[in-house]
Amino acid sequence: DLPVVVVDRAGWGEPFGLTDVQQAYWLGRSGLFELGDVSTHLYVQFESVDFDVARADEVLRRLLDRHGMLRAVVRGDGRQQVLDGVVLGVEWEDLSSLSVEDAAVRVGVVRDRLSHEVRRADSFPLFGLVAQRLPGGVTRVHLSLDLLIADATSVQVFLSEWAALYADPGVELAPLELTFRDYVLSLGQVESGETYRRARDYWLGRLEELPPAPELPVVGVSGPTRFVRRQFRVESGVWGALRDRAQSWGVTPSALLCAAYAQVLSVWARQPRFTVNVTVGDRLPVHPDVERVIGDFTGLVLLEVDAAGEGGFGQRVRRLQEQLWRDLEHRAFGGVRVLRELARVHGPARAAMPVVFTSVLGRPMPGGAEGVVPGLGRFVEAVSQTPQVHVDCQVYEQGDALVVSWDAVEALFPAGLLDEAFAAYEGLLRRLAVEEGAWESPGRLVPLPATVGEVCARANDVAGPVPSGLLHQVVADRAVAQPQALAVVSSSGSLTYAELLRRARRVGRRLRMAGARPGELVAVCMDKGWEQVVAALGVLESGAAYVPVDPGLPAPRREHLFDVTGVRVVLTQQAVAGRLSWPDGLSVWSVDDESQWSGVDDAALPAVQSATDLAYVIFTSGSTGLPKGVMVDHRAALNTVVDVNRRWDLGPGDRVLAVSSLSFDLSVWDVFGMLAAGGVVVMPDPGTGRDPEHWAQLVARHQVTVWNSVPALFELFVEQLAQRGGSDGASLRLALLSGDWIPLSLPAGRVR
């Protein structure tokens, strides 16, 4: 469905629409979005020993006449327009009479002004050249280019044609029969074709499976956004060996470099599966002159990467290349449109794709191996920016060598991270050039940085004796040691350790009389209350294992759990027993109904299970299908309980607010961990699972010292404390947060 390009010389000066990428660049610099105080911009600095201002002005005039987009602006109505009758010369500054030091300062001032320049999009010019004659006769030439009007290939065209015109003022370049406006207007035909419809369906079908961008460690940025460039050069011999390795594996050099980039990112990313934003020089072959036109032809492809996939690195590169080829076949529905759909379906945060890979291999930069462009001089430095981008990896060839650059928002990342990651990228490429085994290796190719490795080693240094015994036995031991101490507090009643153990042993004995045995499951289906603690402890006393079933679940889901676990008995409360329906054949016992327990002996029961027998089963929510049970034995649960208590020096003076549902694994420590420490379990009222005001009252009333929940619940609680003021949460000394990421916004100093 290639468009038919109509060359319309009569309309060359008429306004026309922006491409999707141009529009994203234009809006991204508006300040409405994060990191929106920069434009999509390139700054390059050269050093020339024979710069001629008059000749440079003439070259610039001829390039302006030749390439309409060098005269383009973006109007306030969001359309672009090529202007006529505009002129532009080199901004000239003669510093030859200054001292070397003063001249260097002036060069730095211009560099600082131009390197992150944001020109008004609606005002000509959107690029500029500044030349400074320095002591000794050399000239520093600064190029500032807004990439609203040019892409990477356009920069190569500009530099190549500048070099040709400067070297020989009499040369006549082949005329251009195509304009960027002609090309853009022709693209509208693509959307009416079958290729576009297939591409749209392809990407819309992938919205659910497309992973987010790499979740790299970031810190808040204060002040202006500043990009810093890191660059290394891979000499021709090593680069040639890399290309040969890639060819032997049937992959392109660009795919190799992208896969290696992803491999490095995965060391610091939260998950090894993520999406990289790949820029594509998307010049459809619709006209012989299309490769010689200056304009922003950039396209985007959202490339899914799995840096920890099966097989060795070579297999992962092949899969990445296959995925990229599939994506490129469907690029008619461009990456910007995919991002818009992601934002519509999943919200703007999911649509942020700030990690970029840009390859312009196959078109060596002008200047040859030495990087010297006639009329501009030797390349000195460069940096680019793009709004909302965090890091952009750019690869290109200079002569027979490979040049790799990372332009990144330095202040966005923890100190040292970018240096370590960039060094790791260079090291990986050099290793891949010489080690065939590295392509075959299924393991980690990029070692953890020393600092990260030390942190991980300390976090994982958990060697120690594994406690012996059973999960419930540590609670029984506490009850013997402090029988009259308070164990459980709830609005419907409180229990001492002796009362708790007595009730639990009656439950255990009756279950054992009913045939309970190790490995069998007994359901606990209850609202919040002291009865939950008695039930869980009593089931373990019997020798069986407990499985929590939330009474708030829909009846079909509860019945499924009863069926799949094969329970014969469910322990509940009278209020719950009366309001729910129960499957036929299921024995329903209410722990708070004294008539059901009168005459049952509360003497100690001999243990019948071992440390490797099942203690409990917790089922997942089943949000993505049927719930799945997680089976935990006594040894694993007891090991966790003992370790947490030891690490945080928990003891009889501590109290925990048991906000977590019994159906959630965090509740296991609430019950057995706190009771093993000799502390008190404070039970919220039924139905207060999202009531931070109730929690705050209980924390203050009972002087709760420990919080144990997912971060989201603790955030609710902290926000409530902030609204209440005062010192309601002053008794808290420790918050145990797990099950999800912990927001950095939680107040430092309040908890540890």
Side-chain angles (χ1 to χ4, degrees):
D1 298 328
L2 291 179
V4 177
V5 177
V6 177
V7 178
D8 180 17
R9 290 182 174 81
W12 279 3
E14 294 297 318
F16 59 104
L18 300 171
T19 67
D20 287 342
V21 170
Q22 283 181 303
Q23 187 177 60
Y25 289 167
W26 182 60
L27 292 174
R29 67 194 281 169
S30 65
L32 298 175
F33 307 97
E34 180 190 26
L35 305 181
D37 57 338
V38 294
S39 63
T40 309
H41 178 266
L42 173 67
Y43 165 79
V44 187
Q45 185 182 141
F46 302 89
E47 184 174 86
S48 173
V49 296
D50 59 353
F51 189 79
D52 185 314
V53 180
R55 182 177 290 190
D57 280 341
E58 177 60 20
V59 170
L60 195 54
R61 183 196 65 77
R62 292 183 65 179
L63 289 175
L64 279 172
D65 289 343
R66 177 175 174 81
H67 295 286
M69 286 305 290
L70 295 180
R71 309 191 305 274
V73 296
V74 179
R75 299 155 37 121
D77 62 3
R79 294 187 295 166
Q80 55 193 323
Q81 185 173 14
V82 174
L83 306 179
D84 287 325
V86 292
V87 294
L88 181 67
V90 176
E91 184 181 332
W92 172 250
E93 189 174 17
D94 191 344
L95 308 176
S96 57
S97 62
L98 300 181
S99 67
V100 173
E101 293 78 9
D102 290 341
V105 170
R106 287 293 304 149
V107 170
V109 169
V110 173
R111 181 200 181 280
D112 290 343
R113 171 168 65 89
L114 297 183
S115 66
H116 284 70
E117 185 177 39
V118 181
R119 294 178 175 242
R120 284 191 53 168
D122 59 354
S123 298
F124 174 83
L126 287 179
F127 80 102
L129 277 167
V130 178
Q132 297 174 295
R133 181 84 73 199
L134 305 182
V138 299
T139 301
R140 286 293 174 92
V141 183
H142 309 260
L143 170 64
S144 172
L145 176 62
D146 195 312
L147 297 178
L148 272 171
I149 61 172
D151 57 10
T153 298
S154 298
V155 174
Q156 293 174 317
V157 170
F158 179 91
L159 296 178
S160 296
E161 294 189 353
W162 176 285
L165 293 171
Y166 190 94
D168 182 3
V171 71
E172 291 294 333
L173 301 177
L176 294 173
E177 296 299 327
L178 178 72
T179 70
F180 184 66
R181 180 180 185 274
D182 298 329
Y183 183 90
V184 171
L185 293 179
S186 71
L187 292 180
Q189 304 170 45
V190 173
E191 296 187 20
S192 63
E194 180 61 28
T195 299
Y196 178 85
R197 287 191 289 272
R198 286 199 306 268
R200 179 194 59 204
D201 293 344
Y202 170 82
W203 285 109
L204 293 183
R206 296 194 61 210
L207 291 182
E208 293 298 329
E209 67 183 51
L210 197 66
E215 296 179 70
L216 300 172
V218 295
V219 296
V221 176
S222 59
T225 302
R226 303 291 293 183
F227 281 74
V228 175
R229 170 162 290 196
R230 288 167 173 78
Q231 183 168 292
F232 65 80
R233 182 186 180 94
V234 178
E235 57 276 12
S236 59
V238 178
W239 177 224
L242 263 178
R243 294 198 306 270
D244 291 344
R245 296 279 188 198
Q247 183 178 23
S248 69
W249 279 85
V251 297
T252 66
S254 289
L256 158 63
L257 295 173
C258 186
Y261 180 49
Q263 197 72 44
V264 170
L265 293 174
S266 71
V267 174
W268 284 268
R270 186 180 183 193
Q271 300 291 341
R273 181 173 169 268
F274 46 75
T275 296
V276 173
N277 199 343
V278 177
T279 62
V280 181
D282 209 8
R283 298 180 180 226
L284 297 176
V286 297
H287 191 280
D289 288 343
V290 71
E291 292 294 332
R292 300 190 296 130
V293 173
I294 287 179
D296 184 16
F297 295 82
T298 305
L300 302 177
V301 168
L302 303 184
L303 177 62
E304 177 183 345
V305 174
D306 186 356
E310 295 181 358
F313 177 76
Q315 284 81 19
R316 291 196 289 273
V317 181
R318 282 176 178 167
R319 285 196 296 271
L320 179 143
Q321 177 172 274
E322 290 166 0
Q323 182 64 58
L324 180 59
W325 283 347
R326 285 193 296 271
D327 294 343
L328 288 173
E329 288 174 5
H330 298 91
R331 69 184 184 276
F333 191 77
V336 172
R337 301 191 180 200
V338 180
L339 290 174
R340 290 171 183 162
E341 290 298 320
L342 278 171
R344 181 182 63 82
V345 174
H346 297 294
R350 175 71 179 277
M353 295 292 173
V355 177
V356 181
F357 178 78
T358 302
S359 171
V360 288
L361 298 183
R363 291 192 64 143
M365 292 294 288
E370 302 303 318
V372 178
V373 179
L376 292 174
R378 176 184 60 85
F379 170 85
V380 175
E381 63 173 305
V383 68
S384 67
Q385 306 94 44
T386 306
Q388 290 79 59
V389 164
H390 295 176
V391 56
D392 182 1
C393 174
Q394 304 154 26
V395 296
Y396 62 92
E397 290 169 298
Q398 193 168 66
D400 294 329
L402 170 72
V403 179
V404 177
S405 301
W406 282 14
D407 288 333
V409 184
E410 183 83 5
L412 190 63
F413 297 93
L417 186 150
L418 290 173
D419 290 331
E420 290 179 320
F422 194 61
Y425 190 40
E426 180 178 8
L428 176 58
L429 294 183
R430 296 189 182 281
R431 180 183 174 191
L432 291 169
V434 298
E435 293 183 26
E436 179 62 31
W439 289 75
E440 299 280 3
S441 173
R444 182 187 295 274
L445 287 176
V446 181
L448 287 173
T451 54
V452 176
E454 291 170 4
V455 172
C456 292
R458 288 196 302 271
N460 292 321
D461 184 13
V462 294
V466 177
S468 59
L470 302 172
L471 181 59
H472 58 287
Q473 187 59 50
V474 291
V475 179
D477 292 343
R478 272 291 177 182
V480 172
Q482 52 183 65
Q484 300 310 310
L486 195 59
V488 182
V489 172
S490 73
S491 60
S492 60
S494 299
L495 300 175
T496 65
Y497 273 83
E499 292 169 332
L500 170 62
L501 186 58
R502 179 175 59 83
R503 288 178 177 272
R505 283 175 172 172
R506 288 199 302 180
V507 171
R509 186 172 297 277
R510 187 177 176 194
L511 285 170
R512 190 174 294 185
M513 291 168 59
R517 61 191 183 279
E520 182 178 3
L521 292 176
V522 176
V524 177
C525 186
M526 295 184 180
D527 292 331
K528 275 290 181 185
W530 60 265
E531 300 91 344
Q532 288 183 330
V533 182
V534 170
L537 192 57
V539 172
L540 298 189
E541 285 279 348
S542 76
Y546 72 92
V547 54
V549 177
D550 193 326
L553 291 174
R557 179 58 59 90
R558 291 198 311 271
E559 292 174 5
H560 169 74
L561 294 179
F562 293 146
D563 179 63
V564 76
T565 56
V567 298
R568 297 182 294 116
V569 178
V570 58
L571 299 177
T572 187
Q573 298 145 316
Q574 293 182 78
V576 175
R579 74 170 185 260
L580 299 184
S581 60
W582 306 95
D584 293 339
L586 188 65
S587 296
V588 180
W589 301 352
S590 297
V591 171
D592 57 344
D593 183 357
E594 286 295 331
S595 66
Q596 296 191 27
W597 307 100
S598 61
V600 180
D601 190 0
D602 59 9
L605 287 163
V608 294
Q609 67 267 64
S610 68
T612 56
D613 281 323
L614 197 60
Y616 61 87
V617 172
I618 297 286
F619 275 85
T620 63
S621 64
S623 57
T624 58
L626 291 176
K628 300 174 180 63
V630 178
M631 306 167 67
V632 181
D633 63 21
H634 281 263
R635 176 179 293 165
L638 181 60
N639 188 48
T640 300
V641 163
V642 171
D643 182 67
V644 170
N645 288 355
R646 177 187 57 80
R647 283 175 181 267
W648 301 109
D649 194 24
L650 292 157
D654 286 301
R655 299 185 171 201
V656 66
L657 183 64
V659 293
S660 298
S661 166
L662 193 67
S663 300
F664 190 44
D665 55 357
L666 290 183
S667 68
V668 177
W669 184 85
D670 288 346
V671 174
F672 296 97
M674 183 51 72
L675 294 178
V680 180
V681 179
V682 179
M683 285 287 183
D685 290 348
T688 60
R690 289 280 177 176
D691 186 354
E693 172 64 21
H694 177 66
W695 304 338
Q697 293 172 1
L698 292 179
V699 167
R701 182 185 309 149
H702 298 289
Q703 291 296 286
V704 170
T705 62
V706 181
W707 183 281
N708 179 40
S709 78
V710 293
L713 295 186
F714 189 57
E715 275 194 292
L716 285 177
F717 173 69
V718 169
E719 290 170 2
Q720 183 64 31
L721 290 185
Q723 293 176 10
R724 288 168 62 95
S727 58
D728 290 340
S731 61
L732 280 176
R733 74 174 183 90
L734 172 68
L736 302 172
L737 304 179
S738 55
D740 202 349
W741 67 283
I742 300 174
L744 298 177
S745 58
L746 284 174
R750 179 180 291 274
V751 293
R752 61 187 175 98

